[in-house]
Each structure stands twice: as structure tokens, then as C-alpha cells.
Amino acid sequence: MRRKVEPCDAMDGADGVDSRGPLDVTRAATAVLDARGRVLGWSPAAEELLGYEARDVLGHPADDLLARRAGTGEHPGLRESPSTRSVVLHVRHRDGNALRIATTMVPVSNDGSGPAWLLVAADSEGLAQWEAQQAMLQGLVTRSSVGLAIYNTDMRVVWINAELRREMGTTQYVGASPDEMLLNGEILSPQYPPTLEEVMRKVYADGEPVIDLHYGGRAPDEPDHDRVWSCSYYRLQDDEGTLLGVCEESVDITDRYRAQQRLGLLVRAGARIGTTLDTARTARELAEVAVPQFADAVTVDLSETVLDGDQSTSGTTAGRRMIRMWGATGPGRGPSSMSGPPHVAAGQAIDYPAASAQGRSLSSGRKVLEIRAETGTGDPAPAAGEPRFHSCLAVPLRAGGSPIGLVTFFRERHTDPFDEGEQDLADELVARTAVCIDNARRFAREHTAALRLQRSLLPRSLPPQTAVELAYRYLPADSGAGVGGDWFDVIPLSGTRVGLVVGDVVGHGLGAAATMGRLRTSVRVLAQLDLAPDELLTRLDHLVGQSAKEWAMVRGEEDGGPEEDEALGATCLYAVYDPVTGQCSMARAGHPLPAVVDAESGFVSYPDLPAGPPLGLGGLPYESTDLQLPAGSLLALFTNGLVQSSARDIDAGLDRLDEILADHRRPLEELADRAVSTLLPGPSDDDAALLLVRTRRLDRYRVAVWELAADPVMVGRARAAATGQLGEWGLDDVSFTTELIVSELVTNAIRYADGPILLRLIRDQTLICEVSDSGHTSPHMRHAASDDEGGRGLFLIAQMTEHWGTRYTPTGKTIWAEQDLPPADGASRADR
């Protein structure tokens, strides 16, 4: 805005503009003529201009110097009345060349004797340049669109040109200060003193001009309209360096300034509106951009359906019920800064009358401008929840042709109502805001659906387990990241065993939640096959890889390129705990290690469990690790989101988790709460799942085991042993059924398998009968024909039991069957 110039830089040219001109007698070439046109006197300047010395021309007719004669031979102008009008003549230089010179004849005497005329001459080009400069100066004074003012050394007006006089609409300017020339003036450019007088005094003091200073105010002849001028100032001084004052140049740039402001407003709107997918924040960002430059207050209202994440129906309705999202006047300003009743608070409902500007805008689907006449200070505000205004502009928020809300711009301090250009600007601001709000609505709808889907796929509650005591927590990601694909599950298995699983799907949103549900279902199905953890993960990895290939083929045919399944890269940990033996077998597919807390010392360790590749990637095999866990041991299974974040690495998270788990004797619910509150104190960018498990053991009074030889005689002994044990447990009511089950299972083992046979009864929430042998062939239930001698055993077992099945072990297989216990035993079961 500033540039350094020399004192003479205010003039165009090194010598500036000389007001005396080339024909001034103090510098021009002069000759004195008599009445007949003979030369009586010859000045040194004439000698310099034409090359003739005085002795060469004195006494000779002046016409002899002309390169060609004009008229009758008499000297031009002798017949004319005395005048200072210049005439261009062609004069012969002493060297023979013809010169164009401008001459003026000034009469000296009319008595006919002695000197009669004073001939003044100068080079015609210099005169033309001087005349052009004089015309320019005259134009600046009378016809220029640039306002000019001269201030004396006291910074008071001494002269203004015609343009500035027209802009001010007054002739009372002499003696006024620069700040008194306009009403409500304000310097708009930054880094300048607060008043024009201070600016001018600085220019006067240091001689450094000020260029293009923007100044806003109101001209005296238009006191109700704001205008903006571009002002420049430079110091005035004479040839001797004496300071004379300051000159001001001003140009009305109101239209250009407003256009620049509008463009800048749109640039800021593009950068600041819609930085998040939060409707309330987007409404606030619109207000922060518009206030105070564009409006004095802004209200943003959204329809109730949009806030619920639903798409508004097409069409409009007058008096539509809206929810206020923003009603303050901008940053650092509250409703109290505007007159009238308190604003409607954010989140409250508001009903606009059909006759109001907002009601008409909602009804028509178009913007509505309302201008109000001046009212008394005691008059009520236009409507409940609105600030007092002299003009307001209601603009509907629309997305995809459907109404989603309304934005109202108010002006009270801005004296001008919204003009046509400003209405277009408001349209653009609201259109951008509508896109951002609609994106937030779509995200809220998807996020809500994904969260609902994910919660429906996760276990709502876990039934009590004999094998373990449980506590769990699941925290979805912050809304900025979306719902993720973390999951956990507890799966009851045969023989009172329990399957523990925790997993994490890459990504967020509906796709991740759906993939999580698919994987959780697959794990549950595979777990019912009583597979070892490494075998279960191997089959799950195969399913994911096969599904990804099929999906890629479909996408490749339809869209021309494959797309990866979101299950690819998912991690999972699967563990099986047996409360009879205390053994826990686990394997993992790229998942974080579980934490194991010793039941006695509270020492936290992480078992040496091979990582294995994430699901669907194939390659390395999965390996199981067996741990022996005493009763009361604590096992923590979790996902990355619990211990790792953008602000904390995983090692620091694990250290804090260790500190919490070390106090392992506290209730699991309390430990889970402490873990979540400590590790996730605020919003997170990833889901987090935590499953805490405290192990239990079934004592020998609830488990009975017999080893039998592969001899048919052992069938009767097995029935007797089982009946005796049921008598000790007080379960005589189920002894008949149990005898049939034991008889059938032991008989099949003796008939179809080799080696020793193991019979085990487990009294838990159900009565479990297990028969293990060394065979690897699974029996199949079938319908025996009327003349078949066998084949009815498993059919009878299926009819008399709740569940039955087969699981394979490293040494063979185990066939098991479960029976419900009599109701009389329910109290005793609950106490155990």
C-alpha cells in the first residue's frame, strides 16, 4: 500500500510542469519590431533559438526570417488586434533548416514610431507539450473523476476540485479537517493510524506517500448510504523545499470494494463452512463467515426430519416447524447485542407465521427480502426469537430439490438493505451450507444405521458361564471416523468349555459393520464344530479369501476393475477354555496378544503366541498355543483401538492397561470401567472392544470319569457306574435316560473303535455325558427300517437329549450328549 518516492515524483517528468509556459517572456525568445515589421531588438534567447546574432537581423524585416511567406508579405498579425494567441510559423534557421515555432505578438505602442510590437517565440513542440499539461491540470480541476484536495500545514482544507465538490455536495469545505469531510468515516485498510489526520501528518512529517488507503464513510449529500474511497496522499513543497501541505487524491471504489469483499467472503466460506460433518457446527460456521461483514445477525433453522437423518420430502409448507441450530450474531456476540426479546435457544422448536418473511420463503421455496420502516425503540421485535432489524433476507436451504431448512440474514447496523448482488451472494452462501448440511445428514443416517447394525450383530448380553466370569465393553468410534468393525463373542461349547473371540475389521461404516457380522457368524458356525483354534482360523481365512475372489470377479465384470473385500486384512483371536482341565488353547490371525494375569501374584504377561497373517491373506499357517490357567486367572482380550491412538503408541497403552489389570482381584465390571475411562478419556478415531475373563474350575465332585476296556462286558459296568454317580448327585430322575445314553455310546465305541474308552459325566447347568475313543469316524443318525436289527441308537439319543454331537481330539473323538436337569435341581445349580 506504500511506496517510497522522491519529492519531485509527484510530477510527471524530471522537471515537472512549469506553470509559466514556454512563451513566458522571462524565458522565451523575444524580438522588438517597429510598425513596419523591422527588427529593433533581439534577445539572447532569440539568438539561441534561431542561430542569428543581433547584428545579422537588426534593421531587417522580420519577414525575411520566414521560410515561406504568408498573406500579403506584411508580418502576420500586424493587421490583427493585439492578442496573446499563439501562431505557428515556419522560420529559417541560420544553418538553413526550417523550424516550427510558436509566436505571439504583444503590442507595445500604437503611435506609429519606435517599438510597436513585442514578438515572443518558442519551439512549437515544447509549447504543445506545455499546453497538453495545462489541459491535463485543467481537466483534473474541472472534469476529472478523481477527487483532489489540498490541505495546508495544519491539515485543513484550502482547495478541492470539482469532482470532490460534487461528491461532498457542499461548498462549505475550507478549513475542515480530513475526518470532518465525511460522516462516520473509518479507515478500512490495516496497519494505518486510526484517523486520516494522523495519516496525513505522518506523510507531511516523513515525506513518504500513502497509496490506495481504503476509507469508508458517508457523503454529506447521501447520509444513509455507506461508500468506500481509495485515497492517496503525498507531500507538497516548492522548488526551494519549503513544505506547503498535503495533497489528497480519492476515487470512489464502492462497487469494486463490495465485489472484492463478496469474493473474499466466498473464499472464506469455501474454507470455513463444512469443516466437519456436524450440522450445529456447520450452522455456526456460516454465521461466523457472514457476521459482521455481510449481516448483523444470522439464524439457521433445520427441519426436524433432517436432524433425524431422514430425507425431507419435496415441496414446501408454510409455517413449517423448524429447529433452531444457530441464533447468535457471530463470534463474541450474543443475542443481547441486538435489540428485542431473547433469541430462541439452539435446539428449541420455532414456528414461523405464514405471513412472516420466513413463512413466505418456506411456502414459495424462494428467498424473500423484507425491509421495515423505522420504528420506535419501544416497538416489539418482528417475531419471537428474531432480532430487531430494518431489513432481513430469508433464504431456504435446499438439497436435491427438497427443503431442509432456512437461513435468515438480518441487518440493523448496516444501513443499506440487501441489494441484488448481495442477495445472489446469500444464495451462494446458503447453497454451500446446504451441501455441507446434507452431507452431514447423510453421514448421520449412515452412521446411525451402521451403529444400529453393529450393535444388533454384537451380543446384547452374555449368559452366565460356568467356565468363566465375564465383563465386556464396546465403544464405537467418534462420529468423525464412523462406526468400525470391532467385535467380540463368547460361545458355549460342549463339555462346559467356552470359546472366546475378539476381532477387528479394517475400515469404518456400513461395509465394515456388515463384514463384522459376517465374520462373527462364521466364527460361531465353525466353533460349533469343536475345531481347535488354529483349525478354526485356517477355515475362516479360507472363507474370507474365497469370498474376496468371488467379489473381485463380480466387480471386475460389472465395473471393469476388481475391488477388495473389507474382510481382507481383518484380525481375529480365538481361544477355547476348558474348566475341567484348566487348559486354554488359543490362536490369532494378526491380532494383538491377550493379557494374562496370574491368579496369585497379579503379574501381567503376554503369551508367546505366533501372530499368523490377517484373514484372507493366506501364506503362513496358524498355530495354537496351550496355557494352563489356574482358577482365578484373568484373561484380557481387546482390539487395537483400546490401547493405540493417534496421540499414544501401543506400548504406552499396554503399560497403562498392565497397571489396571495388576489390581486383578477387583470386580471385573470395575476393572472394565477403569480400563475404558483411563485408556479412552475422550473421542477416539477407532472402535474399541474389551473382553475380561476370570477363569473357574469344576471341582471333582461335579465331574466323574471312568476308563473302560474295549470289551462288551464293560457296557453293563458303565451303566452301573453312571447310575451310582447320579444317585450321589441326587439325580435319580434322569438315571433311566442316562443309562440308555451311556449304553448306546459305549456300545458304539466298543464296536467301531480300538483302544481304551473314556466315560465322563459332568454335572453343570445340564447333565453332560461324554464317551471318548481312539476312532476318527463320526457316527451318523439314520432312520432304521422295520426289519433292521440296529441303527436306532443315535436316533433315540437325539430324541431324549437337548443336544448331542462329536468333537475331535488329537487322540480320537468324543461323542457327547446333554440333558436338561430336573427343576428341583435349579436352585442348587444357581448356588454353584
Side-chain angles (χ1 to χ4, degrees):
M1 303 290 288
R2 296 169 179 254
R3 64 182 178 92
K4 184 176 181 180
V5 296
E6 299 299 328
C8 65
D9 198 37
M11 297 295 183
D12 182 15
D15 296 329
V17 177
D18 193 340
S19 60
R20 293 177 297 175
L23 291 179
D24 184 82
V25 294
T26 61
R27 61 172 61 185
T30 57
V32 179
L33 308 179
D34 61 13
R36 292 181 300 173
R38 295 181 180 275
V39 179
L40 300 180
W42 192 254
S43 71
E47 181 180 339
E48 180 180 358
L49 176 65
L50 298 178
Y52 297 102
E53 296 182 359
R55 65 174 179 268
D56 298 329
V57 296
L58 290 177
H60 295 279
D63 285 350
D64 293 345
L65 300 177
L66 298 179
R68 58 185 177 86
R69 296 180 178 272
T72 61
E74 297 181 355
H75 190 279
L78 290 179
R79 298 180 179 181
E80 300 176 4
S81 59
S83 171
T84 59
R85 183 175 62 86
S86 62
V87 177
V88 177
L89 300 175
H90 289 79
V91 181
R92 185 177 64 254
H93 193 273
R94 185 174 183 176
D95 61 10
N97 293 325
L99 300 178
R100 284 173 54 87
I101 64 173
T103 62
T104 297
M105 298 287 289
V106 179
V108 177
S109 174
N110 294 323
D111 58 3
S113 63
W117 299 94
L118 177 64
L119 176 66
V120 183
D123 182 72
S124 62
E125 293 184 3
L127 178 62
Q129 181 180 5
W130 179 81
E131 289 178 341
Q133 292 170 343
Q134 293 300 305
M136 176 196 69
L137 294 176
Q138 183 67 18
L140 286 175
V141 173
T142 60
R143 295 182 297 277
S144 173
S145 61
V146 178
L148 295 175
I150 295 177
Y151 295 82
N152 60 19
T153 57
D154 294 328
M155 302 302 123
R156 293 295 181 267
V157 177
V158 296
W159 175 85
I160 63 175
N161 69 345
E163 172 65 16
L164 195 58
R165 187 179 296 110
R166 182 189 63 77
E167 289 184 359
M168 296 300 102
T170 178
T171 59
Q172 303 299 321
Y173 59 86
V174 176
S177 69
D179 295 294
E180 293 172 348
M181 292 287 288
L182 296 173
L183 304 177
N184 300 325
E186 176 186 7
I187 293 179
L188 303 178
S189 299
Q191 300 179 348
Y192 284 109
T195 65
L196 285 181
E197 184 169 344
E198 292 180 76
V199 171
M200 294 171 62
R201 289 191 180 279
K202 188 175 185 304
V203 172
Y204 180 79
D206 58 26
E208 183 178 358
V210 170
I211 308 299
D212 196 27
L213 179 151
H214 290 179
Y215 188 78
R218 304 173 190 172
D221 62 333
E222 292 184 336
D224 296 331
H225 296 283
D226 294 322
R227 296 165 68 180
V228 179
W229 288 267
S230 171
C231 302
S232 299
Y233 300 92
Y234 55 88
R235 188 169 66 184
L236 298 176
Q237 58 189 57
D238 60 17
D239 293 339
E240 298 178 356
T242 302
L243 301 183
L244 304 176
V246 174
C247 182
E248 174 190 66
E249 298 177 0
S250 62
V251 179
D252 190 331
I253 60 168
T254 302
D255 293 339
R256 187 183 75 187
Y257 181 81
R258 289 179 178 174
Q260 291 175 341
Q261 293 297 101
R262 292 168 186 170
L263 179 60
L265 190 66
L266 288 177
V267 172
R268 290 197 302 276
R272 296 178 58 183
I273 298 178
T275 58
T276 65
L277 291 171
D278 180 80
T279 54
R281 182 166 178 177
T282 300
R284 186 186 72 185
E285 289 168 345
L286 169 63
E288 290 174 347
V289 168
V291 177
Q293 178 181 328
F294 183 71
D296 295 314
V298 174
T299 60
V300 181
D301 308 308
L302 297 180
S303 66
E304 293 177 304
T305 56
V306 171
L307 292 177
D308 294 334
D310 298 329
Q311 175 69 47
S312 180
T313 57
S314 59
T316 56
T317 304
R320 183 186 302 275
R321 185 176 180 85
M322 312 293 287
I323 302 297
R324 175 60 49 86
M325 300 304 298
W326 183 260
T329 58
R333 300 173 181 263
S336 59
S337 64
M338 301 290 289
S339 57
H343 286 200
V344 174
Q348 291 186 358
I350 182 169
D351 290 308
Y352 285 111
S356 66
Q358 293 87 347
R360 285 180 284 144
S361 177
L362 290 171
S363 177
S364 64
R366 296 187 295 272
K367 60 180 177 288
V368 172
L369 174 64
E370 182 173 325
I371 302 175
R372 299 203 169 189
E374 292 292 334
T375 58
T377 57
D379 293 342
E386 291 184 5
R388 185 176 299 280
F389 63 89
H390 70 75
S391 66
C392 78
L393 180 64
V395 185
L397 279 162
R398 302 183 69 84
S402 300
I404 62 174
L406 183 74
V407 178
T408 309
F409 301 93
F410 298 92
R411 281 187 175 177
E412 182 185 38
R413 302 179 192 86
H414 289 69
T415 56
D416 296 333
F418 297 96
D419 60 26
E420 184 175 346
E422 289 171 328
Q423 293 180 42
D424 293 338
L425 176 61
D427 270 341
E428 180 65 24
L429 289 175
V430 172
R432 295 190 180 195
T433 304
V435 171
C436 298
I437 290 178
D438 190 52
N439 288 339
R441 177 194 63 80
R442 294 174 184 272
F443 173 79
R445 181 178 61 183
E446 180 176 338
H447 182 267
T448 301
L451 186 60
R452 186 181 299 117
L453 172 62
Q454 188 177 42
R455 291 189 183 279
S456 67
L457 295 174
L458 290 172
R460 298 185 179 181
S461 62
L462 297 177
Q465 301 290 327
T466 302
V468 292
E469 178 187 357
L470 300 169
Y472 55 91
R473 295 291 184 272
Y474 167 74
L475 279 78
D478 179 42
S479 59
V483 174
D486 291 12
W487 92 93
F488 65 92
D489 208 350
V490 177
I491 307 170
L493 301 176
S494 63
T496 68
R497 298 170 309 131
V498 63
L500 308 171
V501 60
V502 63
D504 188 355
V505 175
V506 178
H508 299 90
L510 280 172
T515 301
M516 176 271 290
R518 180 157 55 96
L519 292 179
R520 176 173 178 261
T521 301
S522 298
V523 171
R524 273 192 162 264
V525 171
L526 294 174
Q528 297 304 320
L529 298 177
D530 278 318
L531 299 175
D534 56 343
E535 178 64 19
L536 182 143
L537 292 181
T538 299
R539 296 198 183 187
L540 186 63
D541 173 74
H542 177 73
L543 289 174
V544 171
Q546 186 67 27
S547 175
K549 290 180 180 179
E550 294 174 356
W551 180 250
M553 291 177 62
V554 172
R555 297 295 296 180
E557 292 175 359
E558 293 182 355
D559 299 337
E563 181 175 311
E564 293 185 350
D565 188 346
E566 288 185 296
L568 283 176
T571 65
C572 182
L573 185 145
Y574 180 66
V576 176
Y577 174 68
D578 188 344
V580 177
T581 63
Q583 178 177 292
C584 183
S585 179
M586 61 180 65
R588 62 183 180 132
H591 200 80
L593 287 168
V596 180
V597 185
D598 184 75
E600 296 297 331
S601 66
F603 177 73
V604 182
S605 63
Y606 294 86
D608 186 13
L609 180 61
L615 298 174
L617 302 184
L620 299 176
Y622 299 102
E623 299 180 43
S624 292
T625 297
D626 296 331
L627 304 176
Q628 196 65 32
L629 300 180
S633 298
L634 183 60
L635 194 64
L637 289 75
F638 51 86
T639 58
N640 266 335
L642 181 71
V643 293
Q644 187 177 19
S645 67
S646 57
R648 180 185 63 230
D649 60 34
I650 190 169
D651 291 333
L654 291 175
D655 290 341
R656 302 185 72 176
L657 180 62
D658 292 350
E659 296 174 1
I660 297 169
L661 297 179
D663 197 7
H664 66 291
R665 289 188 173 86
R666 291 193 173 274
L668 293 186
E669 293 291 336
E670 181 180 337
L671 290 177
D673 287 338
R674 287 178 56 188
V676 169
S677 61
T678 301
L679 296 171
L680 301 172
S684 174
D685 56 3
D686 194 8
D687 284 16
L690 172 65
L691 180 62
L692 293 181
V693 177
R694 180 174 284 136
T695 62
R696 294 174 178 154
R697 293 291 296 273
L698 294 182
D699 55 45
R700 60 188 182 89
Y701 298 107
R702 301 177 65 184
V703 180
V705 182
W706 299 273
E707 186 172 345
L708 306 173
D711 188 341
V713 73
M714 301 304 296
V715 176
R717 295 180 183 179
R719 287 198 303 266
T723 302
Q725 184 62 54
L726 293 179
E728 292 181 13
W729 286 340
L731 299 177
D732 295 325
D733 291 345
V734 296
S735 60
F736 177 76
T737 303
T738 304
E739 285 186 44
L740 290 177
I741 295 172
V742 170
S743 178
E744 180 61 30
L745 295 182
V746 172
T747 300
N748 283 341
I750 294 173
R751 178 179 299 176
Y752 299 108
D754 298 327
I757 298 170
L758 195 68
L759 171 63
R760 184 169 71 171
L761 294 180
I762 302 174
R763 181 190 178 191
D764 187 34
Q765 299 180 29
T766 60
L767 179 62
I768 303 171
C769 178
E770 296 181 343
V771 175
S772 303
D773 57 49
S774 59
H776 294 280
T777 302
S778 176
H780 297 281
M781 183 176 62
R782 64 187 179 88
H783 292 275
S786 58
D787 56 350
D788 287 342
E789 296 182 359
R792 298 178 178 86
L794 289 181
F795 181 81
L796 293 175
I797 290 176
Q799 299 302 312
M800 294 184 292
T801 62
E802 289 295 321
H803 306 283
W804 75 277
T806 304
R807 68 174 182 268
Y808 293 91
T809 65
T811 59
K813 69 175 181 300
T814 298
I815 302 177
W816 54 270
E818 292 185 8
Q819 304 175 66
D820 282 342
L821 293 177
D825 193 55
S828 62
R829 293 203 310 270
D831 294 339
R832 294 188 179 95

